[in-house]
Amino acid sequence: MIKNLKVRAKIMLLSAILILFLCVTVGVSVVSSYSSSNQNTETMNTTLYDDYDALIQAQVKNVISYLTFMNQQVKNGTMTLEEAKSNASQAIRVMRYSDDGYFWVDQSNGMNVVLPNSNREGTNRYDNTDGNGKYHIREFIDKAVNQGGGYTDFVRVNDDGSVDTKRGYTEYFKDWDWVVGTGNYIDDLNVKTNEFQAVQQDTNRNTIFMFA
């Protein structure tokens, strides 16, 4: 009788150890899954923003290259400076990339040269502010003129009160005192990140249910 109790106790102890081991294994697996999910989300978010930054920078540099070519025509005597600027501004006004990417041009004093489909074209934008009161035009100019080019985040408040976040890149064409810029809404990038995170969370939940 006593001998059977000892055997039964050993079996119960081994069973408890096995259950504990399984619980620890599942716990480690779940923690590892969540950690990997967060890391994957951060990696995707960084990649999306890096790709976007590279795109808008490359597009502005394309315009700068075009302006360099046009300025060379002036130096060669092919056209006057006024003609070159007029032709270039008309060309930039209709340039597009991706779905709705466009360009704007300001002088270093804030006087606008090109701003497609806007009644603010030709006005001085130096004191303009975004939806948060930020002097984003001044930042466009400063980063282009004094920093060799750079990125600026700014927001737009819509008529319904919703806020859209935009990110732009500007670079300076010194020969003409033109600050060339482009940018677009980046809320779509955040939406894509959130969608990816939701998929990862579903995967984690399925992992838990599988072990439950």
Side-chain angles (χ1 to χ4, degrees):
M1 182 75 175
I2 296 177
K3 190 174 182 180
N4 289 337
L5 287 174
K6 288 183 178 180
V7 172
R8 201 172 292 152
K10 288 180 180 181
I11 292 174
M12 292 178 63
L13 178 60
L14 289 173
S15 298
I17 292 173
L18 179 59
I19 292 172
L20 179 61
F21 174 78
L22 290 174
C23 289
V24 171
T25 300
V26 171
V28 170
S29 176
V30 170
V31 170
S32 176
S33 178
Y34 270 98
S35 177
S36 177
S37 172
N38 291 335
Q39 188 174 19
N40 290 340
T41 301
E42 291 175 4
T43 299
M44 181 179 180
N45 185 260
T46 299
T47 300
L48 286 173
Y49 274 84
D50 286 348
D51 288 348
Y52 174 78
D53 283 353
L55 170 66
I56 60 176
Q57 182 185 53
Q59 294 299 328
V60 168
K61 287 187 178 297
N62 286 340
V63 176
I64 296 293
S65 295
Y66 167 69
L67 295 179
T68 301
F69 168 79
M70 294 297 287
N71 193 50
Q72 189 60 46
Q73 306 313 301
V74 176
K75 293 179 180 179
N76 293 343
T78 306
M79 62 181 70
T80 66
L81 179 60
E82 290 71 23
E83 289 173 335
K85 285 185 175 181
S86 177
N87 291 342
S89 62
Q90 291 179 41
I92 294 172
R93 193 173 289 112
V94 297
M95 287 181 182
R96 296 292 185 273
Y97 64 93
S98 298
D99 293 330
D100 53 2
Y102 66 92
F103 302 93
W104 66 80
V105 178
D106 297 296
Q107 294 177 320
S108 60
N109 64 358
M111 182 61 66
N112 178 260
V113 178
V114 175
L115 192 61
N117 304 318
S118 174
N119 56 14
R120 290 175 295 170
E121 183 173 278
T123 65
N124 194 300
R125 306 199 300 156
Y126 192 77
D127 291 328
N128 288 10
T129 57
D130 73 351
N132 288 334
K134 177 181 181 179
Y135 288 99
H136 60 300
I137 305 299
R138 296 183 185 182
E139 189 168 322
F140 288 162
I141 295 170
D142 177 65
K143 288 188 175 179
V145 175
N146 300 318
Q147 301 180 37
Y151 300 92
T152 300
D153 293 331
F154 55 108
V155 300
R156 174 184 175 181
V157 179
N158 301 311
D159 294 336
D160 61 0
S162 62
V163 176
D164 292 321
T165 305
K166 303 185 76 172
R167 182 171 175 82
Y169 177 83
T170 48
E171 197 166 311
Y172 190 46
F173 185 65
K174 186 175 181 180
D175 289 339
W176 292 5
D177 186 37
W178 279 16
V179 174
V180 181
T182 190
N184 216 323
Y185 298 103
I186 58 174
D187 295 304
D188 288 345
L189 302 182
N190 296 328
V191 169
K192 290 180 180 179
T193 299
N194 291 337
E195 289 175 348
F196 178 80
Q197 188 175 32
V199 171
Q200 293 291 300
Q201 289 174 345
D202 286 341
T203 301
N204 291 337
R205 280 192 290 268
N206 290 337
T207 300
I208 295 174
F209 291 149
M210 181 178 68
F211 284 108

